[in-house]
Amino acid sequence: MRRGCAGRRMMAEPIRIHYTVTGDDFTQAGTASADLKSRLRTMGFPADVIRKVTISLYEGEINLVIHAGGGEIEVTVSGDRIKLVLSDSGPGIEDIELAKREGWSSAPDEIRSLGFGAGMGIPNMIKYSDSFDIQSTPGVGTVVTMEINC
Amino acid sequence: MNTDELAAKCGFRKLTEAPPKEIEGAFAGDLLSWAMSRVSRGDAWFTVMGNLNAVAVAALSDCACIVLCHGSALSQDALERAVREEIVILATEEPVYNAALASGIVNR
Ligand SMILES: Nc1ncnc2c1ncn2[C@@H]1O[C@H](COP(=O)(O)OP(=O)(O)OP(=O)(O)O)[C@@H](O)[C@H]1O
Ligand SMILES: [Mg+2]
């Protein structure tokens, strides 16, 4: 019997999970991340893998809420990796290199007063995922793709 | 030291009646993206952020407790979420630095 990284039995089929994130709703922000975290725990993934997934997805989810007017999250859980695809039809990002920079944020004051806007969300995603890609077209939207290996 | 013992040692008020959790380290800061990546499982998190998003970060990071400093308020929706998710929230009038120092927690 082949075994996945977590010592679990290799999944026969990848599991797909979909979340819809509502824009500008700070009462629901983080719900998808919390749900995925508890599912991965139930599936027996190791704590360090869950932590990486949780941080990466949380930052992406919050960006959908704050910057994009909401969006969609597609999660694919396989035995050896977890793939996260976050897509939105928001304003897009003019300068992606700038957006990736630690400390750069376009968040307005009222968002900052909630504790967001450190400009560390994308840097966290880059740091905690094993592969990170961001595609964005101003006026069209943004797609962030991340993979976490286990 | 667990969160009940921390509360007793430093005179922090307990805002939730969640079961005590063992403390293994500490983090101080208010910016949520910093906290999200730096708060480790079992940490006491010293902050002035008492909103729903701080409670969400506390839950996601499995911290031992939030220590709400400077007499900062905990919002009603944050309190309800914390009670539901059994997150320990302690409160003090002390500034973040003083509260963290008084705790005596040392990060390995
Ligand atoms: N999905 C998105 N749509 C449009 N703009 C985005 C999106 N995601 C990020 N951005 C832009 O990239 C910037 C940097 O994002 P990042 O997550 O690193 O920081 P932040 O969200 O501003 O602050 P923090 O995540 O630390 O709370 C944002 O301020 C915003 O301008
Ligand atoms: Mg962000």
Side-chain angles (χ1 to χ4, degrees):
Chain A
M1 179 81 59
R2 283 172 68 214
R3 285 182 166 265
C5 61
R8 292 156 298 109
R9 215 178 281 158
M10 207 69 154
M11 288 175 205
E13 292 285 330
I15 296 165
R16 294 203 161 74
I17 308 161
H18 179 265
Y19 301 99
T20 298
V21 178
T22 311
D24 307 305
D25 182 358
F26 293 97
T27 65
Q28 296 301 315
T31 311
S33 314
D35 181 76
L36 184 61
K37 179 188 168 195
S38 75
R39 284 179 193 241
L40 294 177
R41 202 174 262 175
T42 308
M43 287 182 230
F45 280 88
D48 60 324
V49 172
I50 297 177
R51 176 172 152 81
K52 288 167 74 179
V53 172
T54 304
I55 294 171
S56 303
L57 185 60
Y58 173 79
E59 294 295 359
E61 183 181 358
I62 294 295
N63 282 356
L64 291 179
V65 175
I66 294 180
H67 305 296
E72 305 293 328
I73 300 173
E74 288 292 347
V75 181
T76 311
V77 182
S78 319
D80 60 347
R81 80 172 64 97
I82 294 134
K83 183 176 183 184
L84 311 169
V85 181
L86 298 91
S87 50
D88 66 68
S89 308
I93 302 172
E94 293 279 354
D95 186 339
I96 289 181
E97 288 314 308
L98 201 56
K100 284 179 175 172
R101 204 176 289 171
E102 288 189 8
W104 193 86
S105 172
S106 66
D109 284 351
E110 69 268 22
I111 300 291
R112 288 176 197 256
S113 71
L114 295 173
F116 302 110
M120 288 305 290
I122 293 175
N124 279 349
M125 291 185 242
I126 293 170
K127 182 171 171 200
Y128 288 96
S129 59
D130 295 299
S131 80
F132 174 88
D133 177 68
I134 183 164
Q135 301 292 331
S136 190
T137 310
V140 177
T142 302
V143 180
V144 173
T145 305
M146 294 179 277
E147 285 184 335
I148 289 90
N149 301 330
C150 47
Chain B
M1 179 166 62
N2 70 26
T3 51
D4 275 354
E5 291 159 348
L6 174 66
K9 175 182 177 181
C10 301
F12 299 158
R13 283 172 289 125
K14 285 194 269 180
L15 301 188
T16 55
E17 279 307 326
K21 295 198 183 111
E22 202 54 36
I23 298 171
E24 286 158 32
F27 173 84
D30 304 320
L31 294 171
L32 297 178
S33 284
W34 277 101
M36 189 63 213
S37 70
R38 298 298 159 119
V39 175
S40 303
R41 166 184 294 271
D43 276 358
W45 175 21
F46 294 83
T47 183
V48 297
M49 298 304 294
N51 64 19
L52 197 53
N53 303 107
V55 173
V57 167
L60 288 168
S61 62
D62 295 317
C63 71
C65 62
I66 292 177
V67 182
L68 203 49
C69 302
H70 256 301
S72 185
L74 182 67
S75 69
Q76 186 59 32
D77 54 0
L79 173 64
E80 284 163 14
R81 172 86 63 94
V83 167
R84 212 163 55 234
E85 305 209 12
E86 297 196 322
I87 290 166
V88 178
I89 303 192
L90 307 178
T92 175
E93 306 305 313
E94 291 292 320
V96 172
Y97 179 79
N98 293 11
L101 203 58
S103 77
I105 300 165
V106 177
N107 284 320
R108 303 119 293 165

